[in-house]
């Protein structure tokens, strides 16, 4: 155990960058997390897979304590834990426990791997894998966007809420082959919808901006709802910016399919059953909703400004990742592909 | 003339409804003082005056034509801001002219404006002159790419040009001219306030109108009223409440006994309006307040949306009755009426929280009841109300909260509608550009002229009946689907 020499300075830097909004989009966070891991593997103080996994676990704990809302960085680290396990198995030419029915029934625990064994080839293999992973991160949005023409037909009306980089790329990619209309909901209090609308209009897509209150009225004419999300939860639900739940309910009411574009690093192995969870939400500055100039009335009123909404899985029709489309009921399986079950809880 | 008591009531109601917005309230009295003088004049005077006025009018018409030609040329080169400034200038000038006129009138009481109205036969050529430009701009609007295709039928002609033209038209009573501006500038907002304002304008018209010889009062009045209401319709489409009030009034107008003298007819009509306001509005509000009051329990958390005058009254009265409850005010852009509601309720001492419509699913959990106002109730049970109401009802249903819609029966409409597009109103899209809670510049501003970028500001939406638990009316607490039954009862009462 080399914890005395491990000062966690790299992860503290990452946390402060996220907190100070130097890193805003989850894509940027993902890339700098990957960089952190490369650094840790190549220069970190470890000799065995067990040591390295311990180092990463400490970072995940540190991250999830300081930023309980931020899932991207911890998810990437969690994924790398699984990569370490796999690379170790390959390097040591041993087979880890197989999750077969037979194994569960017989309870045979014969082949538990000893990760403390030191392997010289592990570092190189891991760095190789990470550079591959980096390419995957970088091309993920493009891969999602490349599927656009499979999901959008001509003359469609598509509603989107707020702004997401992936959604923007998706729609722009679709506009090369199809003509369609986009309705952008402005999404108070951040009004990110405005910048998305401007960007889409500049790429020659017919765009209409509507107020948050017009979602239900417009939904009857919408063919598809395409949104991004902050996090995909283990049950297939979403933690997305506030207002998304209403959009989902309205879409359900009119039987409009809701497609969620998401990178794999947004899939998080946590369960949050409802909006009540303290860990689900944070409250923003009330001045984003009602200006301080409103005067004395502010002393008498509570101003609620939640940032996120919980969207239950039954309101989501499809998740589109760089691997293709999946329904919410399949999320558990995707999770087990990305993370090792032992790493769900850290 | 039994006008005094009603205007008292009106003033009271206006206080409650308009609040701080009653900027121009004191003006209409001018005309009331004048009407008595008109009949005293000799026919000789009238003739010369008539000729003079005709000349004056023709001159004006020419000037106006010239002006519009110049204007349309100039407009092409003017930016929007400049146009606005110009328009303001014009309005200022008109206002100036008006006040000057009224001063003159005060000095020379033999020249009332009203007699002008009275003597102009309704079928004058100006009707055509003001209709042609309307048509033209309607054609132009067909090709305007800045309009959302889906609701193209809802766009109206930008009223700045015809408003400035119509302001001095002689058969439209100044009360209606002002009312039109107040409607279109949203100074008078809310269907109750709008209906009350219309009725009080009609009252002024009843008092001021002078029947030309050989014409029957009611016939003549109907024609004048028609052109006045057409003008109002141009400024902003009628609210259902206004349509219904107007229909009831016209019904009365048609069924008045022709043997009465003009003054008797006036008295009957004024009495009718007074009764209508008293029974269908004031008493209905009291009854609804009582009914909802029974449903509010101590410890309730009531979620409301926007700023409905009726809902505010209900809450304030329930609070006065000593009920302990708190209110969640949900608000949405661009009108942000909820802030006004918050201010009023908080000043009264009611415990309030405030949230925007996007936070709805977070605040809905705490609520125990949802109270909503309505613009109209349609025959198929749909509730037409301010945009966002359907969304609130939808989320309330998802959380199994009861949704009570408060609506007077005079707002029940025979129309049916299943979506929010067939009949709706488009608000000013520029309202979206200004965000008072953010200091950053809005990216939309720079792209305002991009033809690919539209902003759609719908004013109403239609809530399907299955999202509404019950409608509270002055008759009873009913399911939405009882609208046709209520309409039938009301129709039966009216025909007796």
């Amino acid at each position: 155990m080399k914890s005395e020499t491990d000062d966690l300075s790299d992860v503290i830097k990452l946390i402060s960058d996220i907190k100070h909004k130097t890193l805003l989009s989850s894509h940027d966070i993902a890339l700098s997390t990957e960089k952190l891991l490369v650094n840790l593997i190549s220069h970190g103080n470890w000799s065995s897979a067990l040591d390295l996994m311990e180092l990463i676990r400490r970072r995940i704990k540190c991250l999830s304590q300081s930023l309980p809302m931020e899932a991207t960085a911890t998810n990437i680290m969690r994924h790398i834990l699984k990569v370490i396990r796999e690379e170790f198995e390959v390097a040591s030419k041993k087979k880890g426990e197989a999750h077969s029915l037979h194994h569960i029934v017989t309870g045979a625990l014969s082949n538990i791997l000893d990760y403390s064994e030191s392997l010289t080839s592990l570092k190189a293999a891991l760095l190789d894998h990470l550079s591959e992973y980096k390419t995957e991160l970088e091309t993920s949005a493009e891969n999602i966007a490349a599927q656009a023409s499979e999901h959008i037909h001509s003359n469609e009306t598509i509603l989107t809420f707020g702004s997401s980089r992936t959604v923007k790329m998706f729609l722009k990619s679709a506009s090369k082959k199809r003509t369609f209309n986009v309705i952008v909901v402005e999404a108070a209090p951040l009004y990110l919808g405005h910048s998305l609308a401007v960007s889409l209009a500049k790429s020659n897509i017919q765009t209409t901006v509507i107020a948050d209150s017009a979602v239900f009225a417009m939904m009857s004419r919408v063919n598809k709802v395409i949104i991004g999300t902050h996090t995909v939860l283990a049950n297939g639900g979403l933690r997305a910016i506030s207002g998304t739940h209403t959009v989902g309910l309205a879409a359900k009411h009119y039987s409009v399919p809701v497609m969620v574009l998401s990178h794999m690093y947004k899939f998080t192995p946590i369960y949050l059953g409802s909006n009540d969870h303290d860990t689900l939400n944070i409250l923003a500055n009330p001045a984003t909703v009602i200006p301080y100039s409103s005067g004395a009335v502010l002393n008498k009123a509570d101003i609620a400004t939640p940032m996120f909404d919980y969207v239950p899985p039954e309101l989501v029709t499809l998740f589109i990742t760089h691997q293709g489309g999946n329904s919410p009921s399949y999320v558990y399986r995707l999770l087990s592909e990305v993370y090792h079950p032992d790493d769900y809880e850290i | 003339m039994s006008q005094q008591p009603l205007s008292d009531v009106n003033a009271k109601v206006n206080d409650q409804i308009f609040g701080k917005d009653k900027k121009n309230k004191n003006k209409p009295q001018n005309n009331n003082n004048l009407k008595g003088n008109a009949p005293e004049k000799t026919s000789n005077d009238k003739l010369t005056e008539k000729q003079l006025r005709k000349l004056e009018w023709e001159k004006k018409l020419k000037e106006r034509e010239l002006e519009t030609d110049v204007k349309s040329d100039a407009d092409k080169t003017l930016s929007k801001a400049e146009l606005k400034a110009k328009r303001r200038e014009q309005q200022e000038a008109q206002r100036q002219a008006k006040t000057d006129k009224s001063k003159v009138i005060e000095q020379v009481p033999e020249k009332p404006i009203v007699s002008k109205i009275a003597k102009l036969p309704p079928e004058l050529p100006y009707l055509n002159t003001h209709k042609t430009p309307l048509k033209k701009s309607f054609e132009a609007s067909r090709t305007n790419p800045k309009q959302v295709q889906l609701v193209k039928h809802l766009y109206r002609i930008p009223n700045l040009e015809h408003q400035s033209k119509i302001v001095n038209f002689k058969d439209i009573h100044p009360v209606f001219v002002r009312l039109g501006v107040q409607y279109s500038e949203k100074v008078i907002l809310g269907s109750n306030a709008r209906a009350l304002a219309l009725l009080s304008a009609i009252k002024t018209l009843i008092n001021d109108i002078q029947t030309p010889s050989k014409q029957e009062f009611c016939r003549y009045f109907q024609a004048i009223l028609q052109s006045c209401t057409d003008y109002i319709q141009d400024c902003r489409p009628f609210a259902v409440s206004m349509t219904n009030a107007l229909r009831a009034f016209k019904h009365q107008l048609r069924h008045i006994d022709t043997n009465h003298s003009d003054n008797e007819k006036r008295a009957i009509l004024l009495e009718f309006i007074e009764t209508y306001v008293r029974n269908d509005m004031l008493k209905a509000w009291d009854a609804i307040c009582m009914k909802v009051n029974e449903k509010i329990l101590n410890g309730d958390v009531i979620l409301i949306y926007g700023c409905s005058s009726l809902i505010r009254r209900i809450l304030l009265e329930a609070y006065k009755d000593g009920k302990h409850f708190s209110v969640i005010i949900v608000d949405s852009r661009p009108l942000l009426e909820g802030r006004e509601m918050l201010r009023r309720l908080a000043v009264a001492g009611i415990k309030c929280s405030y949230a925007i419509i996007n936070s709805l699913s977070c605040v809905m959990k705490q609520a125990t009841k949802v109270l909503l106002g309505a613009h109209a109730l349609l025959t198929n049970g749909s509730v037409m109300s301010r945009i966002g109401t359907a969304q609130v009802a939808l989320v309330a249903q998802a959380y199994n909260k009861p949704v009570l819609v408060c609506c007077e029966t005079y707002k029940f409409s025979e129309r049916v509608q299943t979506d929010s597009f067939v009949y709706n109103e488009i608000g000013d899209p520029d309202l979206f550009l200004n965000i008072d809670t953010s200091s950053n510049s809005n990216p939309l501003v720079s792209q305002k002229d991009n033809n690919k970028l539209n902003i759609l500001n719908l004013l109403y939406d239609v809530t399907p009946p299955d999202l509404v638990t019950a409608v509270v009316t002055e008759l009873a607490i009913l399911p939405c689907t009882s609208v046709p039954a209520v309409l039938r009862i009301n129709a039966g009462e009216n025909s007796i």
Side-chain angles (χ1 to χ4, degrees):
Chain A
M1 192 58 69
K2 309 281 191 305
S3 58
E4 316 83 51
T5 56
D6 178 20
D7 60 354
L8 295 172
S9 62
D10 49 355
V11 77
I12 289 168
K13 166 87 169 55
L14 179 67
I15 291 168
S16 93
D17 278 352
I18 297 172
K19 275 201 170 167
H20 292 108
K21 313 265 182 202
T22 323
L23 298 172
L24 255 180
S25 74
S26 51
H27 180 75
D28 294 340
I29 295 172
L31 284 181
S32 54
T33 313
E34 191 269 347
K35 207 189 268 170
L36 182 152
L37 287 167
V38 171
N39 208 24
L40 184 71
I41 292 168
S42 47
H43 308 295
N45 201 349
W46 60 279
S47 54
S48 67
L50 192 67
D51 288 346
L52 181 59
M53 280 156 72
E54 184 55 32
L55 286 177
I56 294 176
R57 279 208 190 93
R58 278 163 50 89
R59 275 160 183 75
I60 294 179
K61 264 183 210 158
C62 181
L63 259 171
S64 52
Q65 272 165 12
S66 354
L67 297 167
M69 297 297 139
E70 189 45 65
T72 305
T74 47
N75 284 344
I76 286 176
M77 292 184 180
R78 205 177 265 134
H79 174 64
I80 298 305
L81 283 180
K82 179 175 158 92
V83 171
I84 294 171
R85 284 173 200 264
E86 282 169 357
E87 292 296 338
F88 181 82
E89 281 168 22
V90 173
S92 63
K93 297 190 182 61
K94 284 176 194 160
K95 199 82 187 84
E97 66 254 65
H99 284 276
S100 66
L101 190 60
H102 170 77
H103 171 77
I104 293 164
V105 171
T106 56
L109 296 166
S110 52
N111 46 357
I112 293 175
L113 283 179
D114 179 16
Y115 290 106
S116 60
E117 192 185 328
S118 158
L119 287 167
T120 45
S121 58
L122 185 62
K123 191 185 230 173
L126 281 176
L127 288 175
D128 250 16
H129 199 114
L130 270 169
S131 76
E132 223 171 83
Y133 184 63
K134 190 180 177 196
T135 337
E136 187 191 310
L137 286 182
E138 282 164 350
T139 56
S140 170
E142 285 152 37
N143 284 335
I144 293 174
Q147 303 169 45
S149 52
E150 294 168 29
H151 296 285
I152 295 174
H153 61 72
S154 48
N155 253 341
E156 232 177 352
T157 304
I158 287 160
L159 183 136
T160 183
F161 187 85
S163 176
S164 147
R165 182 178 157 274
T166 323
V167 170
K168 196 197 303 179
M169 287 177 73
F170 191 83
L171 294 175
K172 283 185 180 175
S173 145
S175 74
K176 285 174 194 147
K177 291 179 183 165
R178 312 259 195 274
T179 48
F180 54 91
N181 301 319
V182 180
I183 297 172
V184 181
V185 187
E186 60 177 3
L190 295 175
Y191 304 104
L192 293 175
H194 290 169
S195 52
L196 176 70
V198 166
S199 164
L200 292 178
K202 277 183 184 161
S203 346
N204 228 12
I205 300 172
Q206 191 64 51
T207 312
T208 308
V209 181
I210 60 166
D212 303 316
S213 48
V215 168
F216 186 87
M218 294 303 287
M219 193 58 86
S220 59
R221 292 293 172 275
V222 169
N223 295 100
K224 277 183 189 97
V225 176
I226 297 180
I227 49 172
T229 179
H230 183 264
T231 313
V232 179
L233 304 170
N235 61 349
L238 307 176
R239 171 160 65 196
I241 58 164
S242 66
T244 315
H245 186 216
T246 318
V247 174
L249 285 172
K252 185 94 185 167
H253 186 267
Y254 287 108
S255 302
V256 177
V258 178
M259 298 185 173
V260 180
L261 309 187
S262 167
H263 301 280
M264 287 310 288
Y265 54 73
K266 293 194 172 177
F267 285 75
T268 309
I270 52 168
Y271 290 91
L272 295 171
S274 74
N275 262 328
D276 291 336
H277 277 274
D278 291 337
T279 48
L280 180 90
N281 229 328
I282 40 176
L283 297 179
N285 178 359
T288 57
V289 166
I290 186 163
Y292 288 125
S293 54
S294 309
V297 80
L298 296 178
N299 296 333
K300 295 177 184 162
D302 296 331
I303 316 285
T305 51
M307 287 294 282
F308 297 117
D309 255 5
Y310 168 73
V311 184
E314 57 268 23
L315 299 182
V316 179
T317 316
L318 205 60
F319 286 105
I320 298 172
T321 67
H322 70 279
Q323 297 172 339
N326 284 112
S327 71
S329 58
Y330 196 68
V331 169
Y332 85 98
R333 177 67 209 171
L334 289 174
L335 284 173
S336 72
E337 271 172 26
V338 193
Y339 314 119
H340 193 276
D342 290 353
D343 301 328
Y344 281 6
E345 299 275 332
I346 286 169
Chain B
M1 215 155 282
S2 55
Q3 203 208 352
Q4 205 45 45
L6 181 53
S7 61
D8 273 359
V9 171
N10 258 348
K12 219 166 105 191
V13 171
N14 287 352
D15 270 358
Q16 288 164 353
I17 290 171
F18 305 147
K20 57 174 185 177
D21 290 334
K22 43 174 181 176
K23 289 179 199 164
N24 307 320
K25 256 192 62 187
N26 297 325
K27 277 189 181 172
Q29 265 58 13
N30 288 346
N31 309 308
N32 291 354
N33 306 335
L34 308 171
K35 54 133 193 348
N37 303 315
E40 293 166 13
K41 289 189 298 172
T42 63
S43 57
N44 243 347
D45 278 355
K46 265 187 200 168
L47 204 72
T48 50
E49 240 188 327
K50 215 175 193 174
Q51 285 165 343
L52 266 175
R53 253 197 315 276
K54 203 175 172 188
L55 281 172
E56 195 184 289
W57 179 73
E58 275 167 358
K59 209 173 113 193
K60 247 186 194 169
L61 199 72
K62 266 181 200 160
E63 272 173 13
R64 213 171 291 131
E65 271 168 5
L66 273 174
E67 213 177 74
T68 47
D69 285 344
V70 174
K71 202 181 153 200
S72 58
D73 282 338
D75 282 357
K76 281 170 200 161
T77 53
L78 282 178
S79 77
K80 184 129 192 180
E82 283 169 321
L83 260 178
K84 230 180 199 169
K86 205 176 158 197
R87 186 175 146 214
R88 201 168 299 136
E89 232 175 65
Q90 256 174 12
Q91 281 176 347
E92 205 61 58
Q94 279 156 2
R95 205 170 299 143
Q96 193 60 45
K98 224 197 240 170
T99 47
D100 287 349
K101 226 186 212 170
S102 61
K103 267 182 208 157
V104 171
I105 288 162
E106 271 160 36
Q107 289 158 4
V108 193
E110 295 91 324
K111 272 193 178 179
I113 316 172
V114 197
S115 59
K116 283 185 189 174
I117 303 172
K119 273 170 245 149
L120 277 172
E123 57 281 68
L124 265 181
Y126 65 80
L127 276 176
N128 303 328
T129 55
H130 101 255
K131 276 202 174 142
T132 20
L134 292 193
K135 260 183 199 160
K136 259 184 208 158
S137 45
F138 178 69
E139 289 266 277
S141 74
R142 272 188 192 173
T143 52
N144 185 353
K146 286 299 278 179
Q147 297 184 347
V148 181
Q149 295 299 301
L150 182 63
V151 288
K152 215 163 51 175
H153 60 287
L154 295 176
Y155 284 93
R156 294 185 302 120
I157 333 92
N159 50 16
L160 52 144
E161 40 170 321
H162 83 265
Q163 222 173 56
S164 58
K165 273 186 214 163
I166 221 162
V167 153
N168 291 327
F169 268 105
K170 288 168 188 166
D171 76 321
I172 293 168
H173 193 286
V175 161
F176 281 87
V177 174
R178 196 186 48 246
L179 194 63
V181 176
Q182 284 171 333
Y183 284 156
S184 66
E185 302 287 318
K186 311 263 194 311
V187 175
I188 298 181
L189 203 59
S191 51
N192 281 332
R194 282 166 71 191
L196 275 174
L198 177 70
L199 288 177
S200 75
I202 293 179
K203 275 199 325 195
T204 316
L205 188 64
I206 295 174
N207 283 325
D208 290 356
I209 204 162
Q210 297 300 328
T211 328
S213 51
K214 291 184 213 158
Q215 285 223 42
E216 204 273 318
F217 176 82
C218 290
R219 284 269 180 84
Y220 179 69
F221 186 79
Q222 205 164 356
I224 290 290
L225 183 64
Q226 189 60 43
S227 52
C228 287
T229 49
D230 281 351
Y231 166 72
I232 297 273
Q233 188 89 314
D234 276 348
C235 295
R236 191 182 166 186
F238 267 35
V240 170
S241 55
M242 291 160 69
T243 317
N244 286 352
L246 191 65
R247 187 191 298 146
F249 177 75
K250 280 183 177 167
H251 185 266
Q252 175 68 27
L253 194 61
R254 271 195 306 275
H255 289 81
I256 218 164
D257 190 351
T258 43
N259 296 328
H260 289 305
S261 75
D262 281 8
N263 275 342
E264 276 170 342
K265 285 172 188 166
R266 278 202 191 95
I268 292 171
L269 289 175
L270 288 173
E271 172 66 24
F272 173 78
I273 292 182
E274 218 168 292
T275 322
Y276 189 84
V277 170
R278 200 186 317 115
N279 288 348
D280 287 82
M281 298 178 168
L282 302 179
K283 282 186 181 168
W285 293 338
D286 289 340
I288 292 172
C289 279
M290 272 163 53
K291 291 217 166 74
V292 179
N293 214 337
E294 288 165 21
K295 297 290 169 195
I296 297 178
L297 308 172
N298 281 336
D300 259 350
V301 181
I302 294 164
L303 189 137
I304 57 171
Y305 177 64
C307 187
S308 152
S309 53
L310 180 59
I311 300 288
R312 187 171 62 224
R313 196 185 164 117
I314 290 168
L315 292 176
L316 290 175
E317 248 164 59
Y319 186 72
K320 248 184 249 160
D321 280 6
K323 296 265 171 71
H324 297 287
F325 61 92
S326 60
V327 177
I328 301 172
I329 299 158
V330 178
D331 202 0
S332 82
R333 287 216 325 139
L335 286 181
L336 291 168
E337 299 167 287
R339 289 187 188 166
E340 175 64 13
M341 185 68 124
L342 172 66
R343 200 178 59 77
R344 302 259 184 132
L345 295 187
V347 164
I350 300 176
K351 195 170 169 290
C352 294
S353 8
Y354 176 89
I356 49 169
I357 196 160
N358 278 342
S359 317
L360 200 54
S361 45
C362 287
V363 292
M364 187 59 82
K365 211 164 289 125
Q366 302 149 24
T368 54
K369 281 183 186 83
V370 179
L371 277 187
L372 298 172
H375 174 80
L377 232 69
L378 312 181
T379 304
N380 59 344
S382 300
V383 179
M384 187 171 186
S385 190
R386 61 176 58 75
I387 185 106
T389 305
Q391 226 157 302
V392 175
L394 178 77
V395 177
Q397 197 198 39
Y399 286 92
N400 286 329
K401 308 289 181 189
V403 178
L404 294 177
V405 171
C406 304
C407 185
E408 309 85 343
T409 51
Y410 89 98
K411 289 186 192 166
F412 283 26
S413 166
E414 268 146 22
R415 240 189 357 233
V416 283
Q417 199 173 332
T418 51
D419 62 29
S420 311
F421 304 114
V422 184
Y423 174 82
N424 207 322
E425 252 187 89
I426 306 271
D428 180 10
D430 289 350
L431 290 176
F432 277 59
L433 303 179
N434 173 27
I435 301 171
D436 67 346
T437 49
S438 158
S439 51
N440 300 337
S441 66
N442 191 328
L444 291 178
V445 177
S446 62
Q447 292 294 313
K448 250 186 83 178
D449 301 322
N450 189 334
N451 281 341
K452 290 283 176 187
L453 186 68
N454 298 319
I455 300 172
L456 180 60
N457 182 8
L458 286 176
L459 295 190
Y460 299 107
D461 68 7
V462 171
T463 311
D466 49 335
L467 298 181
V468 176
T469 314
V471 180
V472 187
T473 69
E474 69 266 30
L475 302 176
I477 299 184
L478 301 165
C480 304
T481 43
S482 306
V483 176
V486 172
L487 282 174
R488 204 176 55 228
I489 293 169
N490 282 356
E493 274 175 6
N494 282 345
S495 62
I496 288 165

